[in-house]
Every structure is written in structure tokens, then in C-alpha cells.
Amino acid sequence: MKNLLAGIALFGTFALASAQTITFDKTTYEYGQIKPNSDGTRFFTVTNTGDKPLIISNVKPACGCTTPEFSQDPIAPGKSAKIKVGYNTATVSPFNKMIEVFSNDPVNSRSVIYIKGEVTATAPEPKPLTAAEQKAAAKAEKKAAKMAAKK
């Protein structure tokens, strides 16, 4: 009987070890101080650190001032995808918004990411992007637009 229970426990351990696993590059994106009506778009990188395809089924913001875009295409093991989060910067005020990410990760089927900062007229001017940053931003925007078009 002990061997049977030990075998079941060992099998359960392997079953959990063999799954899709969601990992984020960061769970909070800090905007800092930004000017009203400035670009409120930011990206979170999601990586599948498991060994089965990861599927993001839904991304749900806490309010209408935050608009996420994501792809429901499976993320292969070891690969990454982006979640585009837009914040409406028209209202001058501090913000701290929660965004729920739902996936087929058996341990973390609901993950939470945050955006926070302050929209203020006295915010410093944004620093100009380097050529490499401009290229990366254009590539991320093109990929996000392609994912949104697939929806």
C-alpha cells in the first residue's frame, strides 16, 4: 500500500512538472510622472517557462481607462509574447490599475499585473528615444497590431 501511495505521489509530481507555466518580465509597470494626453501604451512580456503550450484566454482591466490587447495564439515552451496595455492619460491624477491575466497555467490560471503612475501637467518632457529604442518600439507596435488584427 505504501508503494502504491508513493507511486501516485510521484506521478502527481511529474504531472505538475509537465505543464505550461506563465512568467512575466515584470508584474508592475511604473510610468512615473507623465503629461496629460501623452502616450499611455506599455508592454508586458509573457514567457512560457513550462513544457506545454501556454494560452492566454483573457486579459481583463479593472476599469475602462485601461485597454489591453493580446493574442490567444498558443505560446510555445520557451517562447514569449507581448500584452499591450494602453492607459487613457487624459485625466490628471495618480493611477494604480490592476489587470487580470487568465491562462491555462494549472497553478496560476489567474495572474495579476499592475500599471501605476501620475498624470500631471508638471511632468518632465519625455526623453527622446535612441535609434535602437525607436526600432524596438516600432517592432513591438507592429507585432501588437498584427495580434490585434487576428482577434
Coordinates of all heavy atoms in Angstrom, one line a residue, residues 19-25 27 45-59 75 79 83 100-113:
A19 N 3.9 20.9 -17.5 CA 2.8 21.8 -17.8 C 3.3 23.1 -18.3 O 4.5 23.4 -18.3 CB 2.0 22.0 -16.5
Q20 N 2.3 23.9 -18.8 CA 2.6 25.3 -19.2 C 2.7 26.2 -18.0 O 2.0 26.0 -17.0 CB 1.5 25.8 -20.2 CG 0.1 25.7 -19.6 CD -0.5 24.3 -19.7 OE1 0.2 23.3 -20.1 NE2 -1.7 24.2 -19.3
T21 N 3.7 27.1 -18.0 CA 3.9 28.0 -16.9 C 4.0 29.4 -17.3 O 4.9 29.7 -18.2 CB 5.1 27.6 -16.1 OG1 5.0 26.2 -15.7 CG2 5.3 28.4 -14.8
I22 N 3.2 30.3 -16.8 CA 3.2 31.7 -17.2 C 4.2 32.5 -16.3 O 4.3 32.3 -15.1 CB 1.8 32.4 -17.1 CG1 1.8 33.7 -17.8 CG2 1.3 32.4 -15.7 CD1 0.4 34.3 -18.1
T23 N 5.1 33.3 -17.0 CA 6.1 34.1 -16.3 C 6.1 35.5 -16.9 O 6.0 35.6 -18.2 CB 7.5 33.5 -16.4 OG1 7.4 32.2 -15.9 CG2 8.5 34.3 -15.5
F24 N 6.1 36.6 -16.1 CA 6.2 37.9 -16.7 C 7.5 38.6 -16.5 O 8.2 38.3 -15.5 CB 5.1 38.8 -15.9 CG 3.7 38.4 -16.1 CD1 3.1 37.4 -15.3 CD2 3.0 38.9 -17.2 CE1 1.8 37.0 -15.5 CE2 1.7 38.5 -17.4 CZ 1.1 37.5 -16.6
D25 N 7.9 39.4 -17.4 CA 9.2 40.2 -17.3 C 9.1 41.1 -16.1 O 10.1 41.3 -15.4 CB 9.5 40.9 -18.5 CG 8.5 42.0 -18.9 OD1 7.3 41.9 -18.6 OD2 8.9 42.9 -19.6
T27 N 5.8 42.5 -13.1 CA 4.3 42.5 -12.8 C 3.8 43.9 -12.5 O 2.6 44.0 -12.4 CB 4.1 41.6 -11.6 OG1 4.9 42.0 -10.5 CG2 4.4 40.1 -11.9
T45 N 5.9 41.5 -21.2 CA 6.4 40.3 -21.9 C 6.0 39.1 -21.1 O 6.3 39.0 -19.9 CB 7.9 40.4 -22.1 OG1 8.2 41.5 -22.9 CG2 8.4 39.1 -22.8
V46 N 5.3 38.2 -21.7 CA 4.8 36.9 -21.1 C 5.7 35.8 -21.7 O 5.8 35.7 -22.9 CB 3.4 36.7 -21.4 CG1 2.9 35.4 -20.8 CG2 2.5 37.8 -20.9
T47 N 6.3 35.0 -20.8 CA 7.1 33.9 -21.3 C 6.5 32.6 -20.8 O 6.1 32.5 -19.6 CB 8.6 34.0 -20.8 OG1 9.1 35.3 -21.3 CG2 9.4 32.9 -21.4
N48 N 6.5 31.6 -21.6 CA 6.1 30.2 -21.2 C 7.3 29.5 -20.8 O 8.1 29.1 -21.6 CB 5.4 29.5 -22.4 CG 4.9 28.1 -22.0 OD1 5.1 27.7 -20.9 ND2 4.4 27.4 -23.0
T49 N 7.5 29.3 -19.4 CA 8.6 28.6 -18.9 C 8.3 27.2 -18.6 O 9.1 26.5 -18.0 CB 9.1 29.3 -17.6 OG1 8.0 29.4 -16.7 CG2 9.6 30.7 -17.9
G50 N 7.2 26.7 -19.1 CA 6.8 25.3 -19.0 C 7.2 24.5 -20.2 O 8.0 25.0 -21.0
D51 N 6.7 23.3 -20.3 CA 7.0 22.5 -21.5 C 5.8 22.1 -22.3 O 5.8 21.1 -23.1 CB 7.8 21.2 -21.0 CG 7.0 20.3 -20.0 OD1 5.8 20.7 -19.7 OD2 7.6 19.4 -19.6
K52 N 4.7 22.8 -22.1 CA 3.5 22.6 -22.9 C 3.0 24.0 -23.4 O 3.3 25.0 -22.8 CB 2.3 21.9 -22.2 CG 2.6 20.5 -21.8 CD 1.5 19.8 -21.2 CE 1.8 18.4 -20.9 NZ 0.7 17.7 -20.2
P53 N 2.2 24.1 -24.5 CA 1.8 25.4 -25.0 C 0.9 26.2 -23.9 O 0.1 25.6 -23.3 CB 1.0 25.1 -26.2 CG 1.5 23.8 -26.7 CD 1.9 23.0 -25.4
L54 N 1.2 27.5 -23.8 CA 0.5 28.3 -22.9 C -0.5 29.2 -23.7 O -0.1 29.7 -24.8 CB 1.5 29.3 -22.2 CG 0.9 30.4 -21.3 CD1 0.3 29.8 -20.0 CD2 2.0 31.4 -20.9
I55 N -1.7 29.3 -23.2 CA -2.7 30.0 -23.9 C -3.3 31.1 -23.0 O -3.8 30.8 -21.9 CB -3.9 29.2 -24.4 CG1 -3.3 28.1 -25.5 CG2 -5.0 30.0 -25.1 CD1 -4.3 27.1 -25.9
I56 N -3.2 32.3 -23.4 CA -3.8 33.4 -22.6 C -5.2 33.5 -23.1 O -5.5 33.8 -24.3 CB -3.1 34.7 -22.8 CG1 -1.6 34.6 -22.2 CG2 -3.8 35.9 -22.1 CD1 -0.7 35.8 -22.5
S57 N -6.2 33.3 -22.3 CA -7.6 33.2 -22.7 C -8.3 34.6 -22.5 O -9.2 34.9 -23.3 CB -8.4 32.2 -21.9 OG -8.3 32.4 -20.5
N58 N -7.8 35.4 -21.6 CA -8.5 36.7 -21.4 C -7.5 37.6 -20.6 O -6.7 37.2 -19.8 CB -9.8 36.5 -20.6 CG -10.7 37.8 -20.7 OD1 -10.4 38.7 -21.5 ND2 -11.7 37.8 -19.9
V59 N -7.6 38.9 -20.9 CA -6.9 39.9 -20.2 C -8.0 41.0 -19.8 O -8.6 41.6 -20.7 CB -5.8 40.6 -21.0 CG1 -5.1 41.6 -20.1 CG2 -4.7 39.5 -21.4
I75 N 1.4 30.0 -26.9 CA 2.8 30.4 -26.7 C 3.6 29.1 -26.5 O 3.4 28.4 -25.5 CB 3.0 31.4 -25.6 CG1 2.1 32.6 -25.8 CG2 4.5 31.8 -25.4 CD1 2.0 33.5 -24.5
K79 N 9.1 30.3 -25.4 CA 8.8 31.5 -26.3 C 8.1 32.5 -25.5 O 7.5 32.3 -24.4 CB 8.0 31.1 -27.5 CG 8.6 30.1 -28.4 CD 9.9 30.7 -29.0 CE 10.6 29.7 -29.9 NZ 11.8 30.2 -30.5
I83 N 1.8 41.6 -24.1 CA 0.5 42.1 -23.7 C 0.6 43.6 -23.8 O 1.4 44.2 -23.1 CB 0.0 41.7 -22.3 CG1 -0.2 40.2 -22.3 CG2 -1.3 42.4 -22.0 CD1 -0.6 39.6 -20.9
E100 N -6.1 41.7 -14.8 CA -6.1 40.3 -14.6 C -5.7 39.6 -15.9 O -6.3 39.9 -17.0 CB -7.4 39.8 -14.1 CG -7.8 40.4 -12.8 CD -9.2 40.0 -12.4 OE1 -10.2 40.5 -13.0 OE2 -9.4 39.1 -11.5
V101 N -4.9 38.6 -15.8 CA -4.5 37.8 -17.0 C -4.9 36.3 -16.7 O -4.4 35.7 -15.7 CB -2.9 37.9 -17.3 CG1 -2.6 37.0 -18.5 CG2 -2.5 39.3 -17.4
F102 N -5.7 35.8 -17.6 CA -6.2 34.4 -17.4 C -5.6 33.5 -18.4 O -5.5 33.9 -19.6 CB -7.8 34.4 -17.6 CG -8.5 35.2 -16.5 CD1 -8.8 36.5 -16.7 CD2 -8.8 34.6 -15.3 CE1 -9.4 37.2 -15.7 CE2 -9.4 35.3 -14.3 CZ -9.8 36.7 -14.5
S103 N -5.1 32.4 -18.0 CA -4.4 31.5 -18.9 C -4.6 30.0 -18.5 O -5.3 29.7 -17.5 CB -2.9 31.7 -18.8 OG -2.3 31.3 -17.6
N104 N -4.1 29.1 -19.3 CA -4.2 27.7 -19.0 C -3.1 27.1 -18.1 O -2.9 25.9 -18.0 CB -4.3 26.9 -20.3 CG -3.1 26.9 -21.1 OD1 -2.2 27.8 -21.0 ND2 -2.9 25.9 -22.0
D105 N -2.4 28.0 -17.4 CA -1.4 27.6 -16.4 C -2.1 26.9 -15.3 O -3.0 27.6 -14.6 CB -0.6 28.8 -15.9 CG 0.5 28.5 -14.9 OD1 0.3 27.5 -14.1 OD2 1.5 29.2 -14.9
P106 N -1.9 25.7 -15.0 CA -2.6 25.0 -13.9 C -2.4 25.5 -12.5 O -3.3 25.4 -11.6 CB -2.2 23.5 -14.0 CG -0.8 23.6 -14.7 CD -0.9 24.8 -15.6
V107 N -1.3 26.2 -12.3 CA -1.0 26.8 -10.9 C -1.4 28.2 -10.9 O -2.0 28.7 -9.8 CB 0.5 26.6 -10.6 CG1 0.8 27.3 -9.3 CG2 0.9 25.2 -10.6
N108 N -1.2 29.0 -11.9 CA -1.5 30.4 -11.9 C -2.5 30.7 -13.1 O -2.2 31.4 -14.0 CB -0.3 31.3 -12.1 CG 0.7 31.1 -10.9 OD1 0.3 31.3 -9.8 ND2 1.9 30.8 -11.2
S109 N -3.7 30.2 -13.0 CA -4.7 30.4 -14.1 C -5.1 31.9 -14.1 O -5.6 32.4 -15.1 CB -5.9 29.5 -13.9 OG -6.5 29.7 -12.7
R110 N -5.0 32.6 -13.0 CA -5.3 34.0 -12.9 C -4.1 34.7 -12.3 O -3.7 34.5 -11.2 CB -6.5 34.3 -12.0 CG -6.8 35.7 -11.8 CD -7.9 35.9 -10.7 NE -8.0 37.3 -10.3 CZ -7.3 37.9 -9.3 NH1 -6.4 37.2 -8.6 NH2 -7.5 39.2 -9.1
S111 N -3.4 35.5 -13.1 CA -2.3 36.3 -12.7 C -2.7 37.8 -12.7 O -3.6 38.2 -13.4 CB -1.1 36.1 -13.6 OG -0.7 34.8 -13.7
V112 N -2.0 38.6 -11.9 CA -2.4 40.0 -11.8 C -1.1 40.8 -12.1 O 0.0 40.5 -11.6 CB -2.9 40.4 -10.4 CG1 -3.2 41.9 -10.4 CG2 -4.2 39.6 -10.1
I113 N -1.3 41.8 -13.0 CA -0.2 42.8 -13.3 C -0.8 44.1 -13.0 O -2.0 44.3 -13.0 CB 0.3 42.6 -14.8 CG1 -0.9 42.7 -15.8 CG2 1.1 41.3 -15.0 CD1 -0.4 42.7 -17.3

